[in-house]
């Protein structure tokens, strides 16, 4: 009989890969990929963000988790101030909401074996 931990890891483990297309005027500008958020990652993001500021947490989540199609990070910590000041809030919120809702409303595809986590 399969153990519950194995069932959870196989069905909801970090090998899953989510994606969200950032679209402008009907054209995909780029695609954001990410693996599911773990409790350990959530705790780490909470430690480095202002716990009283939901926007700060969501931005830190996006910076931490966002990957390109090759599995490389899309953003660095140093991008945080620029993202806050120079990018339309609705676009950032769209990406962040997709990440937060992942697994609830989005389709899941298996990560490629060569994609780094």
């Amino acid at each position: 009989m399969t153990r519950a931990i194995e069932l959870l890891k196989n069905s909801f483990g970090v090998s899953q890969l989510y994606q969200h297309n950032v679209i402008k005027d009907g054209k995909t500008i780029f695609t954001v990929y990410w693996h599911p958020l773990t409790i350990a990652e959530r705790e780490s993001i909470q430690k480095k963000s202002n716990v009283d500021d939901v926007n700060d947490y969501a931005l830190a989540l996006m910076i931490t988790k966002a990957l390109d199609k090759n599995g490389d990070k899309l953003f660095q910590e140093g991008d945080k101030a620029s993202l806050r000041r120079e990018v339309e809030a609705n676009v950032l919120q769209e990406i962040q909401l997709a990440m937060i809702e992942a697994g609830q409303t989005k389709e899941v595809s298996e990560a490629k074996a060569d994609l780094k986590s």
Side-chain angles (χ1 to χ4, degrees):
M1 186 162 148
T2 306
R3 294 184 55 214
I5 185 67
E6 294 305 320
L7 292 171
L8 286 170
K9 288 188 327 187
N10 290 338
S11 298
F12 305 102
V14 295
S15 66
Q16 295 178 81
L17 186 66
Y18 298 100
Q19 72 179 56
H20 175 76
N21 294 324
V22 178
I23 298 171
K24 181 173 183 170
D25 299 327
K27 291 178 66 176
T28 299
I29 305 300
F30 68 96
T31 301
V32 179
Y33 299 87
W34 67 94
H35 294 284
L37 181 67
T38 65
I39 290 173
E41 289 171 323
R42 184 179 342 173
E43 290 170 348
S44 173
I45 294 167
Q46 286 172 335
K47 286 179 184 174
K48 61 184 172 184
S49 64
N50 180 351
V51 293
D52 296 328
D53 185 349
V54 176
N55 291 320
D56 193 54
Y57 174 82
L59 192 56
L61 168 70
M62 185 184 81
I63 290 169
T64 301
K65 298 295 291 178
L67 304 171
D68 66 14
K69 66 181 178 180
N70 298 317
D72 297 321
K73 290 180 68 75
L74 283 175
F75 306 106
Q76 303 303 317
E77 275 302 313
D79 296 333
K80 190 174 193 177
S82 181
L83 288 166
R84 287 180 89 88
R85 288 190 316 266
E86 301 171 22
V87 179
E88 190 176 321
N90 290 337
V91 173
L92 298 177
Q93 289 170 346
E94 179 184 310
I95 297 168
Q96 295 159 358
L97 188 58
M99 289 181 153
I100 291 167
E101 291 182 342
Q104 298 173 27
T105 60
K106 304 289 182 194
E107 290 294 318
V108 178
S109 61
E110 288 301 314
K112 295 178 185 173
D114 58 348
L115 187 66
K116 302 177 229 165
S117 54

